[in-house]
């Protein structure tokens, strides 16, 4: 009676030993979360108040995917033999382990609650990766023609072209620099971020809330690869007059998920573990300048067919993040001139913002990966400056470099500032506003997707939607706010006629200060946002004129 069972175990052990002898890290997937001590009715057990608030604001239901993995399942895996649990994913209900113990693997596979097991990484043997990751070229000069205005809130210096191509200075001038927003960066390391002077401000203001290395399971990320630090600088760097990032006042979470020395699927698992950590804290936006196509062992290689948003570990994790109300901004990839040609993962994820590269005049970079995804999604989603992007180098000086890696954090920072201005909107509403503002929204292509976003337009679009949502125009067809105003003024109106509309601002004596002209459609609300140099306190007159209807409204400058 026992002999067949013993033979089966021996056969299973032999198969595992022979087929997996070269591997040391594995994914173990569980069938369910039976017997969990956690409840969806008590999310404060496993989610922070800010994480719960994000879900509540966006009307997102807490479900089984939010529950931690059943503890007894983890205990059974850990105690199966010589096994170390490296990290886990409650979203995908799986755990990543390290073991070279074939008997332990056989025992794990015998558990009734195990769905399956798959290797992620072979044993190390002094092997250097054959993948040329992070091969961006750093230059000391670039062709910069944009000149900023003297009254801008920041003196950007080298970063002005990459901000201005998106009218990003409008957000900053309007008071949105990332305050109160949480932004996580997943990368290969943040070399010397603790000592580089461009990060003096974020350090002094205690804006780096957490760091963690998911590769080595330790808290320090300062000694690792510089790629993440360079991306971080594009968002948070601050050297007034020389370099200012796209979102310098956010709170940051720096996570190392990528091992620059190798390329294996475990790095995708690391990313999901980091994403879940960030979600549970309440992070709003992810910036990810990573992508996966082929690996150091070809048995793990993805195919273009896999780029469908639903196959790879990291794409599924990215989509889960979107379901939790997070915006994931990811690099499209630098394979435009290679045999692969297309985007990598997680740029294929359905609900992420994948970012292609252009220069600061809007010309697509030849290296930027092509879309679409294999299931026909428009990819990249949008584009930003990734050719001649201003960065801070490991030698602590501004320079310029190339790659969708650098277009991505620029876009992530500006999206964060936009969401700061409209916290009452969902992640998908913010993404849609960014797409709608883009230069090729009505005619997207496979190079830069919907095109180059204009954050002034996105701001106006969301302001109009907020006006309708809040029924601001219920009793009047034109409103100016804030009133009183100081520096920044928004005018929302329901056009009375189709055609050209003129908006003019006069002082009380009739002196004309500014004029804006807009093409309007009757019944379709519009928003016009103005930024003024400091005005004298007092009463001003706002005139609306569409050629048929004329209206003057009194407003107050303070």
């Amino acid at each position: 009676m026992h002999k067949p069972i013993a033979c089966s175990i021996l056969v299973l052990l032999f198969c595992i030993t022979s087929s997996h002898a070269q591997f040391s890290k594995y994914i173990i997937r569980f069938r369910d979360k039976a017997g969990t001590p956690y409840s969806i009715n008590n999310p404060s057990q496993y989610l922070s108040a800010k994480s719960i608030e994000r879900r509540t604001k966006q009307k997102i239901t807490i479900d089984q995917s939010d529950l931690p993995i059943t503890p007894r399942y983890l205990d059974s895996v850990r105690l199966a033999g010589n096994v170390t649990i490296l990290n886990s994913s409650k979203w995908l209900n799986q755990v990543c382990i390290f073991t070279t113990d074939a008997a332990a693997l056989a025992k794990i596979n015998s558990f009734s609650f195990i769905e399956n097991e798959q290797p992620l990484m072979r044993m190390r043997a002094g092997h250097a990766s054959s993948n040329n990751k992070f091969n961006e070229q750093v230059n000391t000069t670039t062709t910069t023609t944009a000149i900023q205005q003297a009254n801008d809130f920041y003196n950007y210096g080298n970063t002005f072209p990459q901000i201005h191509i998106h009218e990003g200075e409008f957000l900053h001038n309007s008071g949105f620099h990332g305050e109160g927003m949480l932004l996580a960066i997943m990368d290969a390391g943040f070399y010397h971020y603790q000592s580089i002077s461009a990060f003096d401000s974020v350090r002094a203001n205690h804006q780096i809330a957490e760091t963690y290395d998911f590769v080595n399971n330790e808290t320090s990320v300062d000694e690792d690869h510089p790629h993440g630090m360079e991306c971080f600088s594009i968002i948070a760097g601050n050297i007034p007059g020389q370099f200012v990032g796209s979102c310098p006042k956010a709170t940051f979470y720096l996570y190392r998920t990528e091992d620059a020395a190798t390329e294996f699927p475990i790095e995708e698992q690391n990313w999901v573990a980091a994403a879940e950590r960030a979600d549970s804290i309440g992070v709003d936006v992810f910036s990810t300048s990573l992508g996966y196509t082929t690996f150091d062992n070809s048995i793990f290689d993805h195919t273009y067919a896999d780029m469908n948003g639903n196959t790879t570990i990291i794409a599924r994790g990215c989509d889960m993040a979107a379901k939790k109300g997070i915006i994931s901004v990811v690099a499209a990839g630098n394979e435009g001139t290679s045999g692969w040609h297309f985007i990598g993962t997680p740029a294929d994820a359905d609900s992420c913002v994948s970012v292609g590269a252009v220069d600061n005049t809007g010309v697509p970079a030849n290296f930027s990966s092509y879309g679409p995804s294999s299931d026909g999604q428009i990819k990249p989603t949008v584009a930003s400056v990734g050719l001649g992007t201003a960065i801070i180098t490991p030698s602590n000086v501004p320079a310029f470099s190339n790659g969708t890696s650098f277009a991505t954090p620029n876009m992530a920072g500006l999206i964060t500032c936009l969401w700061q201005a409209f916290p009452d909107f969902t992640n998908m509403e913010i993404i849609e506003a960014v797409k709608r503002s883009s230069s090729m929204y009505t005619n997207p292509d496979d190079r830069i997707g919907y095109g180059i976003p204009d954050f002034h337009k996105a701001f106006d679009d969301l302001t109009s939607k907020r006006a309708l949502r809040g029924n601001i125009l219920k009793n009047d067809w034109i409103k100016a706010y804030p009133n009183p105003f100081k520096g920044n003024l928004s005018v929302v109106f329901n056009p009375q006629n189709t055609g050209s509309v003129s908006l003019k601002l006069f002082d009380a004596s009739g002196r004309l200060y500014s004029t804006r002209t807009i093409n309007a459609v009757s019944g379709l609300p519009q928003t016009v946002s103005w930024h003024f140099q400091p005005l004298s306190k007092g009463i001003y007159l706002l005139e609306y004129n569409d050629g048929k209807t004329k209206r003057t409204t009194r407003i107050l400058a303070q």
Side-chain angles (χ1 to χ4, degrees):
M1 181 174 180
H2 296 288
K3 186 174 181 180
I5 296 176
C7 290
S8 297
I9 293 175
L10 288 173
V11 169
L12 176 62
L13 180 58
F14 174 78
C15 292
I16 291 174
T17 302
S18 59
S19 64
H20 290 352
Q22 59 180 319
F23 302 110
S24 57
K25 295 179 182 178
Y26 302 83
I27 283 289
I28 308 297
R29 292 193 179 92
F30 302 108
R31 295 185 185 278
D32 51 44
K33 292 183 178 179
T36 178
Y38 302 101
S39 168
I40 59 175
N41 297 318
N42 188 14
S44 60
Q45 293 177 299
Y46 43 85
L47 297 175
S48 71
K50 189 164 179 60
S51 183
I52 295 170
E53 179 188 9
R54 173 170 17 87
R55 287 162 167 77
T56 301
K57 283 167 58 176
Q58 300 187 54
K59 296 181 174 57
I60 295 170
T61 302
I62 293 171
D63 59 25
Q64 290 288 318
S65 65
D66 292 301
L67 296 176
I69 294 172
T70 302
R72 68 179 180 87
Y73 291 175
L74 294 176
D75 290 341
S76 296
V77 169
R78 182 185 298 109
L79 298 174
N82 188 11
V83 174
T84 300
I85 292 180
L86 301 176
N87 59 52
S88 62
S89 168
K90 62 183 180 181
W91 291 348
L92 305 182
N93 204 22
Q94 62 191 34
V95 64
C96 179
I97 67 169
F98 172 87
T99 188
T100 56
D101 184 345
L105 278 176
K107 186 173 183 180
I108 290 169
N109 277 284
S110 72
F111 295 148
S112 62
F113 52 81
I114 297 299
E115 179 72 28
N116 59 46
E117 157 266 315
Q118 71 177 65
L120 285 180
M121 187 172 179
R122 62 179 176 76
M123 290 185 284
R124 289 182 180 271
H127 174 81
S129 177
S130 59
N131 285 273
N132 190 18
K133 300 187 290 185
F134 312 131
N135 60 345
E136 295 88 1
Q137 298 297 312
V138 177
N139 308 303
T140 57
T141 60
T142 190
T143 54
T144 300
T145 56
I147 300 174
Q148 75 173 103
Q149 301 299 308
N151 63 338
D152 283 337
F153 185 83
Y154 289 123
N155 184 0
Y156 297 96
N158 293 314
T159 60
F160 182 67
Q162 63 208 51
I163 300 294
H164 178 65
I165 195 172
H166 301 296
E167 293 290 334
E169 69 271 26
F170 170 80
L171 295 177
H172 297 160
N173 293 339
S174 299
F176 305 108
H177 322 110
E179 293 90 341
M181 300 295 289
L182 309 188
L183 195 157
I185 305 173
M186 289 77 154
D187 215 286
F190 301 85
Y191 183 75
H192 284 186
Y193 79 94
Q194 291 181 327
S195 55
I196 287 175
S197 60
F199 303 119
D200 285 351
S201 295
V202 294
R203 291 196 302 267
N205 295 324
H206 307 290
Q207 291 171 242
I208 302 172
E210 181 177 76
T211 64
Y212 196 78
D213 182 341
F214 287 84
V215 177
N216 292 329
N217 285 324
E218 60 185 20
T219 58
S220 178
V221 296
D222 185 71
E223 68 280 3
D224 300 303
H225 199 278
H227 188 262
M229 179 277 295
E230 293 165 348
C231 293
F232 184 33
S233 74
I234 295 166
I235 299 174
N238 187 11
I239 308 174
Q242 297 185 54
F243 191 105
V244 180
S246 60
C247 187
K249 294 296 184 179
T251 297
F252 299 102
Y253 296 77
L254 308 182
Y255 294 141
R256 182 185 179 221
T257 63
E258 173 80 11
D259 183 354
T262 64
E263 191 81 310
F264 284 100
I266 189 173
E267 294 160 323
E268 297 187 30
Q269 168 69 19
N270 293 344
W271 187 95
V272 177
E276 291 182 17
R277 170 65 183 168
D279 166 49
S280 68
I281 291 169
V283 168
D284 304 294
V285 177
F286 298 163
S287 180
T288 302
S289 294
L290 302 169
Y292 303 95
T293 55
T294 59
F295 297 93
D296 291 349
N297 188 327
S298 61
I299 69 167
F300 298 121
D301 285 357
H302 296 315
T303 65
Y304 176 60
D306 294 333
M307 302 295 109
N308 59 14
N310 301 304
T311 297
T312 71
I313 291 172
I314 195 169
R316 288 185 287 131
C318 200
D319 282 340
M320 285 298 295
K323 291 178 181 178
K324 307 306 177 185
I326 296 164
I327 296 177
S328 292
V329 187
V330 304
N334 302 328
E335 305 295 337
T337 60
S338 77
W340 173 272
H341 187 70
F342 293 105
I343 58 169
T345 193
D348 63 316
D350 299 342
S351 302
C352 77
V353 178
S354 54
V355 186
V358 295
D359 67 14
N360 60 41
T361 68
V363 176
N366 66 341
F367 58 78
S368 188
S369 289
Y370 285 72
S373 62
S374 63
D375 62 335
Q377 301 172 65
I378 293 171
K379 295 288 181 178
T381 312
V382 292
S384 186
V385 176
L387 180 61
T389 314
I391 67 168
I392 298 297
T393 67
S395 56
N396 197 23
V397 295
F400 301 92
S401 193
N402 305 327
T404 59
S405 284
F406 302 134
T408 298
N410 194 51
M411 181 58 56
L414 293 176
I415 287 175
T416 302
C417 292
L418 180 67
W419 207 2
Q420 178 194 358
F422 297 92
D424 47 322
F425 284 76
T426 68
N427 60 339
M428 301 314 295
E429 288 174 323
I430 295 294
I431 292 172
E432 181 60 25
V434 171
K435 292 195 293 190
R436 285 177 60 86
S437 78
S438 298
S439 59
M440 297 179 62
Y441 179 69
T442 59
N443 188 32
D445 67 11
D446 60 3
R447 296 294 286 120
I448 58 174
Y450 292 102
I452 300 168
D454 181 330
F455 282 88
H456 193 154
K457 288 183 179 179
F459 186 95
D460 288 349
D461 181 29
L462 291 169
T463 301
S464 295
K465 286 181 170 59
R466 178 184 278 170
L468 291 173
R469 177 182 291 178
N471 222 6
I472 288 175
L473 301 178
K474 179 178 180 180
N475 299 317
D476 199 356
W477 54 267
I478 183 168
K479 291 284 187 182
Y481 65 93
N483 190 10
F485 75 100
K486 184 178 181 180
N488 297 295
L489 180 69
S490 291
V491 182
V492 58
F493 60 93
N494 194 347
Q496 300 301 286
N497 298 285
T498 297
S500 178
V501 171
S502 170
L503 295 175
K504 295 181 179 180
L505 186 70
F506 301 90
D507 66 12
S509 65
R511 177 187 171 189
L512 178 63
Y513 268 92
S514 184
T515 301
R516 296 287 293 274
T517 302
I518 308 98
N519 290 320
V521 177
S522 177
L524 183 62
Q526 291 264 13
T527 300
V528 174
S529 300
W530 265 321
H531 174 69
F532 299 101
Q533 294 184 8
L535 298 177
S536 299
K537 295 181 180 180
I539 294 173
Y540 288 79
L541 301 175
L542 173 68
E543 179 189 276
Y544 169 101
N545 191 340
D546 63 19
K548 296 179 181 178
T549 301
K550 188 175 180 179
R551 170 82 174 270
T552 301
T553 303
R554 289 163 55 117
I555 55 178
L556 182 65
Q558 63 179 7

